[in-house]
Amino acid sequence: MTMLPPPSPRKLGLVIDLDTCVGCHACAVACKEWNDGGQFGPLPDEDAYGAEPLGVWFNRIHSFEVKPRRDATGNGPLQELAKTGFAENAPAMTVHFPRSCLHCETPDCVTVCPTGASYKRAEDGIVLVDEDKCIGCKLCSWACPYGAREYSEKRGVMQKCTLCVDRIYNESFAESERQPACVMACPTRARHFGDLGDADSAVAKLVAERGGVALMPELGYAPVNRYLPPRPRRAGCDGTPAVSADESLDRSQLSPLLRWVDKLLSR
Amino acid sequence: MHPALSVIFFTTLSGAGYGLLALLGGGIALDLWPRDTTATLAPLAVGLTLASLGLLASTAHLGRPWRAWRAFSQWRSSWLSREGVAAVATYMPAIVLGAGLLDTSGSSTWSPLPRICGALLSVGAAVTVFCTARIYSSLRTIPAWSNSLVAPVYLLFASYSGGLWLWLLSTVAQRGAPGADRLGLAPALLAGMALVAIATALLKLLYWRHIDSAAPRASIESATGLAAFGSVSAFEHPHTEQNYITREMGFVLARRHAARLRAVALLAGFALPLATIATALQWPALATVSAFAALISGSLGVFVERWLFFAQARHVVSLYYGARSV
C-alpha cells in the first residue's frame, strides 16, 4: 500500500555528525556486509572484481570542500560566519558526508510506487521495499532527491537502506547491539540512532544542542535524519592562523639542548 | 536523466496510438467520421497496435516484467499505476466499437452505442496520455519535468502524432478517389492539423524557454546543509566507478548538443510536415506521398523531442556529484 500512513509519533532515524566523521567508509562497508547477508539481501555486484564494478550500496560517503564565502571585494558575510566561528580568512575545510536514506515523513518514493512494494511503516516511519512485489520500474529512485535508492541489475529490484530493521528489533542480539550496522561500526561515534519524534530522546537532544539540519528542506520531503554541522575550527576562532606563514623559529622557546642543536645546524 | 529507449518508445508510440484513438473516438462521438467499416477499423486497429507496442516497450524498462500486473493496484497514489489502469480501461470501448463495426447493416450515421463508445475511447485515451505526463511532472526532484507545461505538451504531441497517422491511413483508404477526396481528410481538417502542429511547436518552444530560464530549485549548499559555512563543492566522490545513480541521473551528453537537437526536432517534427500538408492541399494527387513523408519526418521529430525531454532533465541528486544548483 503506497498511500502514506498517518504521521507516527515514533520517527526512527539517524543523526550524523559532520564534525567528527573522518570519511573512513567503515559505515558503508559495515552496511554492505550486514545487508548482503541480512533479511533484505543479498547485495550482489556486477563485475565485482572486473574493470567496472557496479553494485548496490545503501550508504555512500562523499567529501565536500567548504570555502568561506566572499563577495567581490573579498569579504565574507561576517555576521553569518561569526555564528559558525568560521573566520573569514580561514582556509577551506573538508567535510565528509555520509549519504543514505533519510526515512522522510512525506516521501514521494513511496507514493509513486505502482505496485505497493515501496512503503512507509506506520509504527516507526521506516521506509522499506518489499522485494517480492517490486517490478523494478525505477520510478521511486527518480522520485528520491537524496539518491538513497539503488537498482540492482542482478536482482531486478530496487534496494535501499532498511535502517537495519532486522537488527534494531532483533531480540537475539544484546540490547546494546540493536542498532544499525553503520552506527555500530563508526570508529568516531559520528552516527547516532534513535527516535527523532521523541523530544526527550538522546538523538533529539543532540540535534537541539548542536543545531542539526535537514537536507534540501525546500523539496518538501520532510526528512527525519539530521546532520550536525561542523563545530567552529579552533584556528578560525580568533582569526590567527595556527601556523604562521614564514615559519620563523623563536629560539627562546627551545630547551638548551635543542638551542645548541639549532646553533650547530645553523652554521 | 538517462534516456532509456524503452521509455522513449513507450511515450512516443503510446502517445501516437492514444492520440489516434482519441481523434477517431471524438470523430465518431460527434458523428463527423464516416460510418464506414474499413475507414474506421484501420485507424482503430493501428491505434490499438501503436498503444500496445508502447505499453510493451515500457515493460522492457522493468526489472521483473512478469510482475507488471501488480502495477494496477496503487492507483490511489501513483500516476504510473493510474496510467496502467487508464490504458487497460481504454481497450474496452475500443473493443466494443470494433465489434459493432462487424455489423455492416448499411446505416450511414452512427447509432448511439458506437457514439458513446467513441466518446469513452476519446476520453480514455486522453486520460491515459495525461497520466503518462503526470508520471514525469509529479517528480519534484526533476525541475525540467515538474512544471505545468509538461502535461499540455504531452497531450498536444499525442494528438499531433495521432493526427499524422490518421491522415496517412485516410489517404491510403481513398487513394483511388477523384480530386480533393484523395486528400483523405477534409481540407478544413488538414488546416486544423497544421494549426495543431504550430501550437505544439510553440508550446514546446515555451517549455524550452521555461526550463532554460527557471530559477534553480536546490543548491549544493542546501543539499549538504552547509550553507552557513560558505560555498560548497564536491571534493571527492564516494566511488571511483559509476554507480546506478550516476548512470541513471547523471546523463550529460544531450545538454552539450541541445541547441542542434532542438532545431532537428522542430524542423523534422513540424516544419517538414507543414510543408507536406501545404503540398497536398496544392496537389491532392500527392496526398498519400505527402502524408507518408509527414508521418516519417514528424515521428522522427517527436522521437528527438522525447529523447531531449529525458536527456536534458537534471535530477537534484546530481548536486551530490558535482552540480552547483539544479
Side-chain angles (χ1 to χ4, degrees):
Chain A
M1 189 41 193
T2 56
M3 294 291 278
L4 292 176
S8 82
R10 206 165 140 78
K11 295 169 189 167
L12 295 186
L14 296 173
V15 173
I16 294 167
D17 192 340
L18 297 180
D19 190 63
T20 49
C21 175
V22 291
C24 69
H25 294 242
C27 52
V29 175
C31 166
K32 179 92 174 175
E33 198 230 346
W34 172 262
N35 285 297
D36 193 30
Q39 190 186 323
F40 292 83
L43 302 179
D45 293 328
E46 296 164 55
D47 196 22
Y49 301 99
E52 280 185 72
L54 186 95
V56 174
W57 292 66
F58 296 166
N59 191 9
R60 302 273 188 182
I61 321 305
H62 297 253
S63 296
F64 293 103
E65 181 188 54
V66 187
K67 283 184 187 149
R69 200 181 285 109
R70 294 182 174 89
D71 62 20
T73 56
N75 296 312
L78 284 176
Q79 278 180 320
E80 206 179 294
L81 286 172
K83 273 190 292 188
T84 63
F86 202 53
E88 198 190 347
N89 58 354
M93 68 174 166
T94 307
V95 174
H96 301 293
F97 188 93
R99 176 176 60 81
S100 59
C101 176
L102 308 176
H103 298 282
C104 302
E105 289 180 61
T106 51
D108 281 3
C109 62
V110 169
T111 52
V112 300
C113 175
T115 67
S118 199
Y119 63 104
K120 184 170 175 70
R121 282 158 54 112
E123 61 269 39
D124 53 19
I126 298 179
V127 177
L128 291 175
V129 177
D130 181 344
E131 286 160 10
D132 294 331
K133 285 186 185 158
C134 177
I135 58 173
C137 73
K138 310 176 188 84
L139 189 59
C140 58
S141 68
W142 294 5
C144 174
Y146 309 105
R149 289 168 173 252
E150 296 192 12
Y151 174 74
S152 174
E153 209 60 69
K154 283 258 182 186
R155 299 187 57 195
V157 294
M158 195 58 71
Q159 298 192 278
K160 69 174 292 297
C161 161
T162 65
L163 207 62
C164 283
V165 69
D166 48 353
R167 288 184 65 95
I168 59 178
Y169 294 111
N170 195 331
E171 288 180 0
S172 63
F173 284 176
E175 184 104 31
S176 62
E177 290 192 6
R178 289 180 208 161
Q179 298 207 51
C182 58
V183 175
M184 296 291 294
C186 181
T188 61
R189 302 256 171 99
R191 302 177 74 93
H192 308 266
F193 162 71
D195 179 8
L196 285 139
D198 172 9
D200 293 326
S201 69
V203 280
K205 282 179 181 161
L206 194 59
V207 169
E209 186 190 316
R210 295 274 307 280
V213 294
L215 305 183
M216 273 192 270
E218 65 271 38
L219 258 84
Y221 284 60
V224 167
N225 286 13
R226 288 289 183 271
Y227 284 75
L228 305 179
R231 290 190 179 88
R233 288 290 187 264
R234 216 168 291 161
C237 285
D238 56 0
T240 329
V243 181
S244 63
D246 59 351
E247 289 197 326
S248 64
L249 188 64
D250 182 4
R251 288 182 183 79
S252 63
Q253 298 281 314
L254 298 174
S255 70
L257 177 67
L258 285 177
R259 212 174 314 158
W260 178 75
V261 171
D262 176 60
K263 207 169 150 188
L264 196 71
L265 291 172
S266 304
R267 265 188 205 168
Chain B
M1 299 298 293
H2 171 67
L5 282 182
S6 54
V7 179
I8 295 172
F9 279 122
F10 156 55
T11 58
T12 54
L13 287 177
S14 73
Y18 285 114
L20 177 55
L21 292 175
L23 293 175
L24 180 72
I28 292 169
L30 300 172
D31 206 3
L32 295 171
W33 194 254
R35 172 73 179 83
D36 179 87
T37 302
T38 43
T40 310
L41 213 49
L44 189 66
V46 170
L48 286 175
T49 307
L50 287 172
S52 308
L53 283 176
L55 295 173
L56 273 178
S58 78
T59 63
H61 190 64
L62 302 180
R64 303 258 185 165
W66 57 94
R67 293 181 183 167
W69 59 272
R70 289 188 182 274
F72 300 114
S73 65
Q74 301 302 314
W75 49 270
R76 277 181 298 260
S77 72
S78 166
W79 284 103
L80 179 50
S81 186
R82 286 171 196 162
E83 198 266 349
V85 171
V88 170
T90 305
Y91 280 95
M92 305 303 158
I95 289 166
V96 175
L97 190 63
L101 283 171
L102 299 177
D103 167 32
T104 49
S105 55
S107 164
S108 65
T109 55
W110 293 100
S111 54
L113 179 67
R115 287 185 69 176
I116 291 168
C117 285
L120 289 175
L121 180 63
S122 190
V123 171
V127 168
T128 307
V129 174
F130 179 75
C131 290
T132 307
R134 288 294 285 141
I135 295 173
Y136 304 107
S137 70
S138 66
L139 298 173
R140 287 181 276 176
T141 48
I142 302 163
W145 293 356
S146 65
N147 60 68
S148 52
L149 289 167
V150 168
V153 164
Y154 264 76
L155 287 166
L156 268 183
F157 266 81
S159 61
Y160 173 59
S161 47
L164 291 176
W165 277 98
L166 191 65
W167 185 29
L168 178 66
L169 293 171
S170 308
T171 55
V172 169
Q174 296 187 36
R175 64 192 177 284
D181 282 353
R182 287 187 66 172
L183 277 175
L185 298 172
L189 279 180
L190 271 184
M193 217 171 85
L195 283 180
V196 169
I198 291 165
T200 310
L202 285 178
L203 196 68
K204 195 67 207 187
L205 277 170
L206 196 67
Y207 168 83
W208 283 330
R209 227 179 79 161
H210 170 77
I211 63 167
D212 289 344
S213 61
R217 193 162 289 185
S219 68
I220 186 168
E221 283 82 14
S222 72
T224 54
L226 294 168
F229 292 87
S231 65
V232 182
S233 54
F235 174 65
E236 195 178 357
H237 288 337
H239 36 93
T240 51
E241 301 299 323
Q242 297 272 310
N243 74 348
Y244 167 73
I245 299 291
T246 58
R247 277 194 186 171
E248 186 81 355
M249 332 263 180
F251 195 81
V252 289
L253 181 69
R255 292 195 280 279
R256 289 167 86 187
H257 303 294
R260 198 164 292 172
L261 287 169
R262 284 177 183 181
V264 169
L266 287 180
L267 281 174
F270 302 101
L272 209 89
L274 280 172
T276 63
I277 291 174
T279 309
L281 285 171
Q282 188 67 34
W283 297 287
L286 295 174
T288 310
V289 179
S290 299
F292 188 69
L295 177 65
I296 297 294
S297 177
S299 303
L300 177 74
V302 172
F303 183 87
V304 172
E305 176 273 335
R306 205 50 54 85
W307 191 84
L308 271 176
F309 176 77
F310 287 94
Q312 270 208 294
R314 281 150 53 95
H315 193 287
V316 292
V317 79
S318 54
L319 293 170
Y320 294 107
Y321 285 95
R324 308 233 19 110
S325 61
V326 172

